[in-house]
Amino acid sequence: MHSNIKLFVEADYDAMSQKAAEIFAAAVQAKPGGVFGFATGGTPVGMYRVLTQMYQSGKLDFSGLTAFNLDEYHPLKRDDAQSYYTFMQEQLFGQVNIDAAKTHIPNGEAQNPAHECEAYDKMIEDAGGIDFQILGIGANGHIGFNEPGESFSARTAYVPLTEITVQSNARFFASADEVPRHAITMGIRGIMMSRRILMLCSGEGKAAILRDALCGPITPLVPASVLQLHRDVTIVADKSAAALL
Ligand code: GLP
């Protein structure tokens, strides 16, 4: 594995969540007014729970943060139970003292997605870029919603979801038919422009793709493999996800 990647292997999901929360909290304490990139999915839920507890016990202050989420389904109403807007409200933003006016998520209701993408990049730029980006990894190696084959040079983009992603995210919806077929996602180039990246990875189902991403060839066919080119990446994995490294 490349030496620019720091890897922490923790015993289980809870230990992974705790470790990731500690790394995140240290970054906030180092730069309380920083710009933080947030991710959704099942994997970071435990970390968000620990961060909420840190806030409740007075150990962490979110009031100075600016937040940009990676992605949002399109089309999907902001208040839909499965929107990433709702997810962030429930898992973190609605639980801590973050300033709602400084939280940003791509608009899944945008009439003109191309315009929304440009506006999103402009907001990130105006905020000074992302200091610290949290990532998960999809079953097919996607980061954000950058599916295999998406160009490494894209910034925020309106993208189709692959069938694998629709099927693996169907668990959150009533059925696969309900899963939107598109998303607005920060692109690979945008993600790579973050100054620091923290990726969480849990479960044996992610072991092969994590190995491919960290130890295999750097290729758009495994979007997360681009992280091998970033200068400051930390991976926190549980034992099952790290089993093939
Ligand atoms: C979604 C998100 C990704 C996330 C991935 C993995 O598709 N767009 O940002 O990393 O799911 O999800 P999970 O953590 O549930 O495995």
Side-chain angles (χ1 to χ4, degrees), residues 40-43 70-71 84 136-138 142 144-145 165 169 171-172 206:
T40 51
T43 312
L70 277 171
D71 50 12
Y84 286 162
I137 180 170
H142 73 217
F145 265 134
T165 296
N169 289 3
R171 67 192 196 275
F172 299 113
K206 297 281 176 72

